[in-house]
Amino acid sequence: MNKVGGADLIKRYQTLADIQTAISEKKESCHTLVSYYLQRIHQHEELNAFLESFDEEALRKADQIDQKIQQKKAGKLAGLVLGIKDILCYRGHSLTASSHILETFTSLITATVISKLEAEDAIIIGRQNCDEFAMGSSNENSAFGAVKNPVDTTKVTGGSSGGSAAAVAADLCHASLGSDTGGSVRQPAGFCGVYGIKPTYGRVSRYGLIAYASSFDQIGPLTHSLEDSARIMEVMAGHDPQDNISSSQPTDTYSSFQEIGHTSYCFGLIKEIMESPGLDEEIRQLIMRKVDSLQQAGHTIKWVDFPLMEYVVPCYYILTTAEASSNLSRYDGIRYGHRADKPADLLDLYKQSRTEGFGDEVKRRIMLGTFVLSAGYYDAYYTKAMKVRRLIKDQTLAILGEVDGLLTPTAPTTAFSLGEKTTDPIEMYLTDIFTVHANLAGLPAISIPAATHSNGLPMGLQIMGSAFEEKALYHMAHLLDTA
């Protein structure tokens, strides 16, 4: 097994609270922290986690925050060094969505989530590699090369936020922001052994996020701890008038989840998942051990049927590719981004620019989406998938009326080898089978690192909760974490 950095991989700080304590005791500063992370980014370029680091800018920002700390004017996230997935707009910085079609593009706006975090003195240290336009389950679809898993560099990180997960796992930054359309925060979190949450749809603003599938996309943090995930979520969450689906539902003090008193939860286990022949046996046994521990602590377990499980992946891919084919039509070689040289006419300009700019997986999904939206097949595929999505959501909400959270594996297996599934798109798509459910239903879900497999790789467990109940979700994850 090829590990990164040996003993050097040991994390200096598990939580932001530890960092802030060290700063207050003058054992650390934002400047030394940023210097440390920049050094590690450059030392571990072989992981391909970062596409660009903002060296001078991050150090300058660190000095400014150090001054604010001395003046006791610093924000609540002072000391947080953060990487951002290369799909979030950051004004004045390059933005490519890990695609050649945007290779020369510079963002004109800053995503709302970044503005909120910077307002509380988080430091953005760089752009992180991802699957092109967030389309992938292994981070092998980036135009700039695959990201390697720091636990074992022969394995994938998961996708599409693979660079973001790998950076946290390898201690190249303290936390990262990813986006989750069908598991793109949670699956790489599970594969790399970190925490990743997909909030309720509409809980976090999507303004400044390059759209893949607009009715699925959500932004979420990847962290070393539940505590930091909750602190970041507390700052990011809330209504944003620049995002028309942003919810006005009141936010909660997510970071106080550990203060919730003794609560007896009912955890649901889905029979179709636990009995799936594709589920790794060690992961199945891990869940059952956790179940025993939860029951001994006074919680209850309820087995539930979810017969629609076999439809979640096809339903997801029909709807997301349809939305992608619409969203990606703006990349035409005219307004911005890559433009082909010497096209014969306007139609040829469109064809050549997109052929040269988009990678194979993006082309595959655009073509599939265009097909399911075409006049002869719209009702047979898209309309039917929309009806199935409604059934999936209704049935899931009915189950969550009986249980507090659904406990599942994050993925059917641990991280697979680089190149193992690239020739079989269907096999690759099935790695999302346990994560797409939450996106179809618009519900929050979190992946926690639960144990190490006998193969030496992390095993992730997932909890899905009720809409806008992120605080309870964090508490359930905490109980599972300590079970």
Side-chain angles (χ1 to χ4, degrees):
M1 182 178 295
N2 301 311
K3 295 185 178 181
V4 172
D8 194 32
L9 189 60
I10 297 172
K11 302 171 188 63
R12 291 182 61 185
Y13 296 104
Q14 189 68 16
T15 68
L16 177 58
D18 295 336
I19 290 174
Q20 292 177 335
T21 297
I23 291 174
S24 68
E25 295 174 352
K26 302 191 184 305
K27 296 176 182 177
E28 191 67 89
S29 70
C30 292
H31 186 99
T32 57
L33 273 171
V34 169
S35 297
Y36 164 75
Y37 287 124
L38 288 172
Q39 181 183 28
R40 287 195 60 78
I41 289 170
H42 297 306
Q43 281 176 342
H44 298 297
E45 290 180 352
E46 78 283 355
L47 293 177
N48 203 25
F50 276 86
L51 296 178
E52 179 185 10
S53 57
F54 309 142
D55 298 34
E56 293 182 7
E57 180 183 341
L59 287 168
R60 190 165 55 248
K61 180 75 171 177
D63 291 336
Q64 293 170 1
I65 296 171
D66 280 332
Q67 288 184 353
K68 292 176 73 173
I69 291 171
Q70 291 174 7
Q71 298 164 359
K72 300 189 184 306
K73 295 180 180 179
K76 63 177 71 173
L77 298 181
L80 176 65
V81 180
L82 190 74
I84 56 173
K85 184 177 181 179
D86 185 37
I87 203 160
L88 288 163
C89 294
Y90 192 27
R91 184 173 181 174
H93 297 78
S94 295
L95 175 67
T96 70
S98 293
S99 176
H100 287 309
I101 207 161
L102 284 176
E103 201 163 357
T104 59
F105 181 70
T106 300
S107 180
L108 302 176
I109 64 170
T110 294
T112 295
V113 291
I114 295 177
S115 297
K116 285 185 169 186
L117 293 170
E118 285 197 310
E120 293 294 342
D121 288 330
I123 299 170
I124 310 301
I125 198 169
R127 291 187 297 122
Q128 293 161 331
N129 202 351
C130 61
D131 281 304
E132 185 180 6
F133 282 97
M135 297 181 188
S137 304
S138 63
N139 217 144
E140 295 173 281
N141 294 330
S142 169
F144 307 110
V147 180
K148 296 178 182 178
N149 193 319
V151 182
D152 180 345
T153 55
T154 68
K155 305 297 182 183
V156 302
T157 56
S160 61
S161 307
S164 302
V168 175
D171 208 27
L172 311 186
C173 57
H174 187 70
S176 296
L177 288 187
S179 65
D180 193 310
T181 306
S184 288
V185 165
R186 291 160 289 147
Q187 189 233 34
F191 280 1
C192 293
V194 298
Y195 295 85
I197 186 171
K198 182 203 84 73
T200 306
Y201 183 69
R203 178 71 295 172
V204 173
S205 172
R206 301 166 307 155
Y207 178 76
L209 171 71
I210 291 183
Y212 162 20
S214 302
S215 72
F216 292 78
D217 299 337
Q218 273 291 274
I219 299 165
L222 295 109
T223 60
H224 292 303
S225 68
L226 282 174
E227 177 186 325
D228 285 354
S229 179
R231 290 184 69 176
I232 293 169
M233 268 293 299
E234 203 169 285
V235 172
M236 293 199 310
H239 177 65
D240 178 14
Q242 296 184 101
D243 180 1
N244 61 6
I245 63 91
S246 176
S247 174
S248 299
Q249 186 94 359
T251 58
D252 209 334
T253 53
Y254 306 122
S255 61
S256 64
F257 67 87
Q258 293 187 51
E259 298 171 14
I260 296 175
H262 178 73
T263 303
S264 179
Y265 289 111
C266 180
F267 292 86
L269 288 180
I270 297 175
K271 292 179 183 177
E272 286 79 3
I273 290 178
M274 295 304 296
E275 296 172 359
S276 170
L279 177 59
D280 181 274
E281 185 57 34
E282 284 191 42
I283 296 177
R284 193 193 325 270
Q285 291 173 7
L286 169 65
I287 291 179
M288 298 316 298
R289 289 197 303 273
K290 290 288 186 180
V291 163
D292 290 341
S293 297
L294 290 169
Q295 287 177 317
Q296 290 172 19
H299 304 286
T300 56
I301 303 296
K302 184 180 178 67
W303 287 85
V304 297
D305 292 308
F306 190 69
L308 293 173
M309 181 55 64
E310 64 180 299
Y311 301 108
V312 296
V313 171
C315 178
Y316 168 81
Y317 277 98
I318 287 172
L319 296 179
T320 56
T321 56
E323 293 185 23
S325 73
S326 175
N327 281 328
L328 270 63
S329 65
R330 70 193 69 180
Y331 305 106
D332 53 14
I334 296 176
R335 285 167 283 191
Y336 49 80
H338 174 74
R339 177 181 294 196
D341 291 330
K342 300 178 182 178
D345 51 31
L346 181 62
L347 181 59
D348 191 46
L349 171 63
Y350 290 156
K351 287 180 177 179
Q352 282 193 42
S353 297
R354 290 172 175 169
T355 298
E356 294 165 5
F358 288 136
D360 289 343
E361 182 60 29
V362 173
K363 292 174 188 174
R364 183 182 294 118
R365 297 195 192 196
I366 290 172
M367 288 189 289
L368 178 58
T370 304
F371 173 76
V372 301
L373 288 175
S374 61
Y377 299 96
Y378 184 90
D379 288 335
Y381 292 100
Y382 184 77
T383 301
K384 188 174 290 186
M386 286 294 288
K387 292 177 180 177
V388 172
R389 184 181 192 180
R390 181 75 252 181
L391 292 173
I392 289 170
K393 183 172 184 177
D394 288 347
Q395 194 171 116
T396 305
L397 293 177
I399 292 172
L400 286 170
E402 301 174 1
V403 303
D404 297 297
L406 288 168
L407 174 58
T408 74
T410 302
T413 65
T414 56
F416 44 91
S417 297
L418 289 159
E420 182 179 331
K421 299 181 187 292
T422 51
T423 59
D424 188 342
I426 301 301
E427 188 178 356
M428 183 73 80
Y429 295 165
L430 287 173
T431 62
D432 298 332
I433 191 168
F434 302 145
T435 53
V436 297
H437 185 176
N439 299 81
L440 283 163
L443 298 173
I446 189 167
S447 175
I448 67 169
T452 301
H453 195 279
S454 61
N455 61 17
L457 297 170
M459 295 187 285
L461 295 185
Q462 175 182 248
I463 305 174
M464 180 164 58
S466 298
F468 301 105
E469 294 293 335
E470 278 83 1
K471 186 172 182 178
L473 187 67
Y474 276 120
H475 192 228
M476 285 187 279
H478 172 65
L479 295 173
L480 189 65
D481 217 9
T482 55

